[in-house]
Amino acid sequence: MPLVERDDKLRALQDMLAGSVEGKGAIAVVNGPLASGKTELLEAFAEHARESGALVLSATGSPTEHPLPFGVMGQLFQRAPLTQRHWEALSEALGTDRCIALLSESAQESERALEQVYAPVMHHLWAILCDLSARQPVVITVDDMQYVDSFSLRGLLFLALRTRTAPVLMVLSEYDGERLIDPLLHSELLRQPHSRRVRLSPLTMDGVARVLAERLGEGGAGAPVSDYYEATGGNPLLLNALIDDQDGGAGHPARGDRTRGPVPGEAFDEAVLICLRRRDSRLLPVATAIAVLGDHGSPALIAPLLGIDTASAVHGVRALDVAGITADGRFRHPAARDAVLDNTPPQERAALHRLAAVLLREDGAPGDTVAGHLLRAGRDLPAWAGDVLHEAGSQALRRDELDLATEYLEHAYRASSDPRQQAVIMTLLTSTEWRVDPSTAARHFERLTTAVREGHLHQPHTITVIRYLLWHGRVAEAGELLERVVRSAGSPAPEAAGEIRFLRLWLTYCYPGVLPWAPAALAALAGDDPGPAKAAEPYARVVGLLEKTLVQGRADSVVVEAEKILHNHGLSDTNLEPLTNVLRALLYADRPDAAARWCESLLVEAGARNAPAWQAVLLNIRGETALRLGFLPAAARDTRLALTHMSPEKWGTGIGGPLSVLLTATTAMGRLEEAADLLTEPVPEPMFQTQFGLHYWRARGHYFLATDRLHAALEDFQACGELMATWGIDLPGIVPWRTDLAQVWLRMGKPERAKALITEQLAMTGGSQNRLRGTSLRLLAATGDLKERPRLLGEAIEALHACGDRRELAHALKDLSDAHHRLGEPERARMLMRRAWHLAKQCGSALLREDTVPAPRTALEHGTVPVADVTGTAGPTGTAVLSEAERRVAALAAEGHTNRQIARKLYITVSTVEQHLTRAYRKLNVNRRTDLPADLSLITIDRA
């Protein structure tokens, strides 16, 4: 081990040696903190002394030999070149009965009696030393003076008093810490005029850099010196151990990369323990107390934790700071703390944490600090532990530290003796685990249902448990708990009333076939009036929003009301279901654009809060949103992501949600084999008693329709209608099964049956439900007179424009093109078909795109009209050259509207329309509206 920043100390000892050769004896006392290089300095000096011709007599103090009389003196002289005469004299002095009695453990003699025997022995030793120094200079080195036995210390002092005029140099080292030796003797030794202190300090930053350079050579270039210094405080033993770990790869993740910060390994851990074990006996307990207490490791708490006085605690903390193990009473590197804790027996460590929790609580420490110690305190916790751990778990959950929250709550459950508190803790623990993995949360259901049966859970918590049970398809248990809620005496608690109303609506529309008796019973329990005090809570507002969009078919002010709720209530374990239903209300109100925007915002929040289950639910809604907008690849991507965040078996009855969206999207994209594989995915039987089952049947029906399995499609669509009627939720906003069934009847050549279903659905559709109205009108056109079709399809296109459903719009444009073609209007037919083809391409609908490939116009084939091909855009400049007014007029003209129709839609005169069209033709280099670019019609959709 290289001696760095010790050159001046070594030269000082060498100078003292030179003086002793001239008969100027001296005493050097080398002191310094733990592992500061005292032993290395003594060894280096002893080697120099031998090379200079001196006789070196060495000894080392040891805790194990401290009780042994004359132990160190024996070490010094046992290897000295003594003559036979010297040995005989020593034996005579030490072998008397009086001396043997004085050296025995049972001796209780007076100081005077001790001196009577002690003095002759030491005179013999001095005589021997004089004989030896007459032949050559003598150097006596004693390491770890603090462990020298009292007899040897007296002997060293006896010799030291006589070395001033003899060629004898005494070099003694001691640690700046515990004083096991007699302080009077120690002071007497140091006050001699020929005595000198040699003080060692930890290495400086420059010293650490020199050690790194010497140890690592060229490979140490670029090593982060400050990191090594911060980890070791300049302690040479710790520094070299840390270098050993990097040099040997014991703790380093990438050997050879010296530019990265040091990673402590086994050598560093062992060096820390060596420092604490071999020196001051009080340092290891103090270090252990600091490791246990962490940031709260003050002497005022260390003292009662260890049962020592505060002064001793202060001394220990200072000694550890000076040694470089700690800085300001905190471990410099967490690896040092871990090494100390790992060295502490588990039972002792648990007892320290248990006592630390008590002391910190009395000291007013934060609850999570106290709880952290309770986690590591084992069994036999104090009576208040359950409350502290419960609160700490709740706080950790609010900070989204889910793993820590789970650990706190599990310990809180075991620590609590109150069954009501245990039930609440278990509910909170279930919610915590549900965020990550709903299937893991299911392990608590048995204890939760037992708690409800025994009356230990209040209504809000019971409702939470019911929702989780239904998610997993555990209908019988959910029904039992719901009966208890309904049978509860009196009105529900104010904080539960809104949630009960929401539960009623949620069961009615999401789980209609599971517990058919429940909605009416809950309605009677909670009533219909939310009350002014609770009007602002999310549950009451969501109930009103869903009833407006689903039942009443109204969309007025829905976005404003929905955004108020979403602005005021962030994601939480209790709010997830209401907020996702707000997003669905936006979909029911034909505002998928607003739903998509809020999905993005909530997904960012869910990701930041470490909630994969929340992300999966929101990704599924975003996929449904993309499907309603006609973006099939995006819908498929989002639902696959949803199934990645939460695998199918964890979705419970909700698996019908992502599967139905993915099945619909892949079918429409023409990936029929992929769609067929989705139908092999196992689903739980209770799913078919939920709204998710309706969506699944509907998606499967459309797959059957796409694969020409018309009777199978007929059965699925009819099953949807029959169940919805049975459940009392026959609302087109949930599943428009009538228009689905109408498509089958049209394919089977039974337009009258189709028309009856469509007419019925139109009568049920609210004026603001543009998506339902547009789809219904499109199919209605196929059932009636050919001459009426353009009008109906025009109304359908207008409604579908308003809701932004590109896929349905492409279908309507394709049908309108077919109608104009059959009416003998090929130019308009071709223009509309081209628009439909571009929309189908943009949607990613392979099946629809194949049906909408426009036939080339005869004039185009002969090259008589200078326009783009059937799928391109006209003119070299593109639509960007148009003004906003010109673009709006041209877009409507491209869709086939007459000038008068355009004027009515835009509230302008026919003359203004003609002027805008003339300028648009000139800028786009076209001659007629049938040559207008295909992307013009897409612009109005983006702005819808």
Side-chain angles (χ1 to χ4, degrees):
M1 187 179 295
L3 279 179
V4 175
E5 294 187 333
R6 304 292 185 256
D7 299 347
D8 56 335
K9 314 301 180 186
L10 183 59
R11 281 194 300 272
L13 295 177
Q14 291 170 350
D15 291 343
M16 295 174 75
L17 174 61
S20 71
V21 171
E22 298 174 0
K24 299 176 182 178
I27 306 167
V29 179
V30 179
N31 61 3
L34 285 171
S36 55
K38 299 182 292 295
T39 300
E40 289 75 14
L41 179 62
L42 260 64
E43 289 176 351
F45 172 67
E47 183 64 24
H48 168 78
R50 291 188 191 96
E51 293 174 354
S52 300
L55 172 64
V56 178
L57 304 178
S58 298
T60 300
S62 168
T64 58
E65 292 190 12
H66 178 69
L68 181 64
F70 286 112
V72 167
M73 298 302 292
Q75 289 184 53
L76 287 174
F77 286 95
Q78 67 181 356
R79 294 185 181 178
L82 301 182
T83 64
Q84 183 65 29
R85 181 174 58 83
H86 292 148
W87 283 115
E88 289 174 356
L90 272 178
S91 298
E92 182 181 349
L94 294 172
T96 64
D97 293 339
R98 187 67 174 159
C99 183
I100 293 172
L102 285 170
L103 297 182
S104 67
E105 295 181 2
S106 60
Q108 299 290 335
E109 297 292 337
S110 66
E111 185 73 16
R112 180 177 178 83
L114 178 63
E115 289 294 338
Q116 290 177 357
V117 178
Y118 187 80
V121 173
M122 294 313 303
H123 277 293
H124 279 293
L125 290 176
W126 172 244
I128 293 172
L129 191 59
C130 288
D131 286 349
L132 294 174
S133 63
R135 288 181 255 165
Q136 62 187 125
V138 176
V139 174
I140 295 175
T141 68
V142 179
D143 197 11
D144 284 344
M145 274 284 291
Q146 68 273 10
Y147 293 128
V148 173
D149 62 278
S150 59
F151 287 90
S152 295
L153 183 62
R154 286 172 177 271
L156 290 171
L157 179 60
F158 183 94
L159 299 177
L161 294 174
R162 290 157 178 76
T163 57
R164 188 173 183 183
T165 58
V168 176
L169 173 61
M170 298 179 69
V171 182
L172 315 173
S173 80
E174 65 174 356
Y175 148 63
D176 288 347
E178 187 176 17
R179 292 278 185 260
L180 292 178
I181 58 179
D182 188 332
L184 293 177
L185 295 177
H186 185 265
S187 300
E188 184 68 19
L189 183 66
L190 290 176
R191 79 176 186 84
Q192 298 304 311
H194 58 303
S195 175
R196 175 180 174 181
R197 278 183 180 274
V198 178
R199 172 71 183 170
L200 298 186
S201 300
L203 299 177
T204 65
M205 187 85 78
D206 290 340
V208 171
R210 283 181 55 194
V211 174
L212 286 170
E214 291 185 24
R215 287 287 312 274
L216 301 178
E218 294 182 1
V225 177
S226 61
D227 289 349
Y228 281 88
Y229 180 79
E230 289 299 324
T232 64
N235 182 309
L237 177 63
L238 297 180
L239 175 61
N240 281 282
L242 190 57
I243 295 172
D244 288 341
D245 283 331
Q246 316 318 301
D247 197 38
H252 211 281
R255 298 186 192 182
D257 185 1
R258 309 292 190 186
T259 62
R260 298 176 62 182
V263 178
E266 294 178 3
F268 181 81
D269 294 349
E270 188 59 32
V272 170
L273 296 177
I274 286 173
C275 287
L276 298 173
R277 286 171 178 159
R278 64 183 275 196
R279 305 297 180 187
D280 193 332
S281 62
R282 290 172 295 187
L283 287 190
L284 182 56
V286 172
T288 303
I290 293 174
V292 168
L293 289 169
D295 291 339
H296 296 268
S298 66
L301 285 173
I302 292 172
L305 184 66
L306 299 178
I308 61 177
D309 59 81
T310 304
S312 297
V314 171
H315 162 78
V317 171
R318 287 177 179 170
L320 291 170
D321 279 355
V322 173
I325 296 175
T326 61
D328 298 325
R330 306 291 180 270
F331 280 95
R332 285 182 168 272
H333 198 285
R337 177 178 183 268
D338 293 342
V340 172
L341 288 175
D342 291 343
N343 178 67
T344 309
Q347 290 185 342
E348 178 184 339
R349 190 166 63 240
L352 287 171
H353 278 295
R354 190 158 50 247
L355 180 55
V358 174
L359 295 172
L360 285 166
R361 185 169 182 264
E362 293 173 351
D363 196 49
D368 57 347
T369 300
V370 177
H373 289 284
L374 293 173
L375 289 181
R376 296 158 183 81
R379 304 288 181 177
D380 301 324
L381 297 180
W384 45 262
D387 294 333
V388 173
L389 288 164
H390 182 188
E391 178 58 28
S394 300
Q395 294 288 346
L397 188 56
R398 282 191 280 273
R399 296 191 303 269
D400 300 310
E401 298 174 1
L402 303 188
D403 290 340
L404 182 60
T406 299
E407 191 175 9
Y408 278 143
L409 293 171
E410 286 178 340
H411 281 73
Y413 183 86
R414 290 195 293 268
S416 176
S417 58
D418 180 0
R420 291 184 178 276
Q421 183 184 46
Q422 284 183 318
V424 173
I425 292 171
M426 188 55 58
T427 306
L428 199 57
L429 181 59
T430 303
S431 297
T432 303
E433 293 179 349
W434 199 97
R435 286 197 200 183
V436 179
D437 184 352
S439 61
T440 301
R443 65 194 177 105
H444 304 300
F445 287 166
E446 186 174 343
R447 280 185 287 186
L448 285 171
T449 52
T450 300
V452 175
R453 292 185 189 116
E454 294 175 353
H456 298 321
L457 270 183
H458 294 301
Q459 281 180 346
H461 295 303
T462 302
I463 291 171
T464 299
V465 176
I466 290 170
R467 289 211 301 265
Y468 289 151
L469 288 169
L470 289 177
W471 173 277
H472 286 280
R474 299 174 70 157
V475 177
E477 293 160 285
E480 178 192 345
L481 301 195
L482 195 57
E483 285 180 0
R484 291 180 177 273
V485 171
V486 171
R487 290 201 309 266
S488 58
S491 300
E495 66 272 15
E499 192 165 356
I500 288 176
R501 294 186 189 95
F502 175 77
L503 178 64
R504 174 185 62 79
L505 198 71
W506 185 70
L507 288 171
T508 300
Y509 297 111
C510 292
Y511 288 84
V514 174
L515 301 169
W517 55 268
L522 289 172
L525 176 66
D528 296 323
D529 181 14
K534 289 293 176 181
E537 73 172 13
Y539 295 108
R541 287 192 169 189
V542 174
V543 168
L545 199 61
L546 287 173
E547 287 180 338
K548 176 184 284 189
T549 54
L550 266 180
V551 182
Q552 302 169 18
R554 293 165 49 200
D556 53 292
S557 71
V558 165
V559 174
V560 174
E561 293 179 30
E563 292 194 338
K564 280 183 181 178
I565 298 171
L566 293 166
H567 269 301
N568 294 332
H569 301 280
L571 284 172
S572 71
D573 300 299
T574 55
N575 280 354
L576 177 66
E577 200 68 50
L579 295 186
T580 54
N581 275 276
V582 171
L583 296 175
R584 295 191 185 282
L586 288 171
L587 294 181
Y588 297 145
D590 286 339
R591 289 303 307 269
D593 54 333
R597 185 172 65 251
W598 278 101
C599 267
E600 290 297 327
S601 175
L602 293 172
L603 274 168
V604 170
E605 182 183 352
R609 296 180 61 187
N610 188 29
W614 293 0
Q615 288 176 282
V617 171
L618 291 166
L619 280 166
N620 177 45
I621 296 177
R622 192 172 73 175
E624 186 178 350
T625 301
L627 188 63
R628 285 176 176 256
L629 285 168
F631 294 123
L632 302 176
R637 181 197 66 226
D638 284 342
T639 46
R640 288 204 180 279
L641 278 174
L643 292 170
T644 300
H645 278 75
M646 195 160 65
S647 55
E649 66 274 8
K650 297 177 182 179
W651 279 84
T653 56
I655 187 60
L659 281 184
S660 62
V661 173
L662 188 55
L663 181 56
T664 302
T666 52
T667 298
M669 286 190 290
R671 301 177 185 173
L672 299 179
E673 291 185 4
E674 187 177 335
D677 289 339
L678 290 172
L679 291 174
T680 64
E681 184 73 40
V683 294
E685 188 61 31
M687 182 195 77
F688 294 105
Q689 301 299 308
T690 71
Q691 186 186 130
F692 307 117
L694 295 175
H695 291 304
Y696 181 85
W697 265 322
R698 185 185 184 221
R700 190 174 68 177
H702 280 286
Y703 166 78
F704 290 147
L705 196 60
T707 54
D708 295 322
R709 297 165 63 182
L710 301 183
H711 288 285
L714 190 72
E715 288 180 8
D716 277 355
F717 295 145
Q718 285 178 331
C720 286
E722 290 168 2
L723 283 176
M724 292 175 73
T726 301
W727 296 337
I729 59 166
D730 190 3
L731 300 170
I734 297 177
V735 172
W737 62 271
R738 290 175 176 83
T739 46
D740 296 332
L741 192 55
Q743 293 180 62
V744 180
W745 290 128
L746 286 171
R747 290 275 296 274
M748 289 182 169
K750 298 180 179 180
E752 291 303 321
R753 287 194 174 188
K755 184 175 183 178
L757 288 168
I758 298 166
T759 303
E760 188 178 358
Q761 179 161 300
L762 279 169
M764 301 172 66
T765 301
S768 59
Q769 293 178 296
N770 287 311
R771 187 169 182 269
L772 290 172
R773 177 174 170 75
T775 304
S776 300
L777 289 172
R778 178 180 75 82
L779 294 174
L780 184 62
T783 67
D785 184 71
L786 178 62
K787 292 181 180 180
E788 285 294 310
R789 290 183 189 178
R791 179 184 64 80
L792 291 172
L793 290 169
E795 292 181 23
I797 288 169
E798 187 173 347
L800 294 169
H801 258 305
C803 73
D805 190 333
R806 298 164 189 251
R807 185 164 66 103
E808 275 298 320
L809 180 60
H811 277 295
L813 288 169
K814 185 257 183 189
D815 291 351
L816 185 57
S817 173
D818 290 342
H820 282 297
H821 177 75
R822 294 179 62 184
L823 289 169
E825 299 174 350
E827 290 296 323
R828 177 169 289 188
R830 180 185 175 279
M831 176 194 69
L832 292 167
M833 189 64 77
R834 186 174 62 174
R835 306 294 183 267
W837 186 90
H838 274 280
L839 271 178
K841 181 180 179 182
Q842 190 181 58
C843 292
S845 177
L847 293 181
L848 181 57
R849 195 163 67 246
E850 291 172 3
D851 290 341
T852 55
V853 175
R857 188 161 42 85
T858 303
L860 180 63
E861 291 174 348
H862 287 84
T864 58
V865 181
V867 296
D869 64 18
V870 293
T871 60
T873 57
T877 57
T879 60
V881 298
L882 301 180
S883 69
E884 185 65 26
E886 291 164 354
R887 189 179 293 112
R888 286 198 299 269
V889 170
L892 290 170
E895 292 166 11
H897 294 286
T898 66
N899 289 357
R900 189 171 300 279
Q901 289 172 330
I902 296 171
R904 283 199 302 267
K905 284 179 176 293
L906 299 181
Y907 301 101
I908 56 179
T909 65
V910 175
S911 175
T912 302
V913 173
E914 291 171 349
Q915 292 174 33
H916 286 322
L917 279 177
T918 299
R919 286 193 291 269
Y921 290 165
R922 184 174 66 250
K923 290 180 180 180
L924 297 175
N925 192 27
V926 299
N927 297 322
R928 66 193 76 183
R929 66 181 64 207
T930 55
D931 299 328
L932 286 168
D935 59 352
L936 275 171
S937 63
L938 306 185
I939 295 168
T940 59
I941 301 171
D942 291 332
R943 299 175 183 277

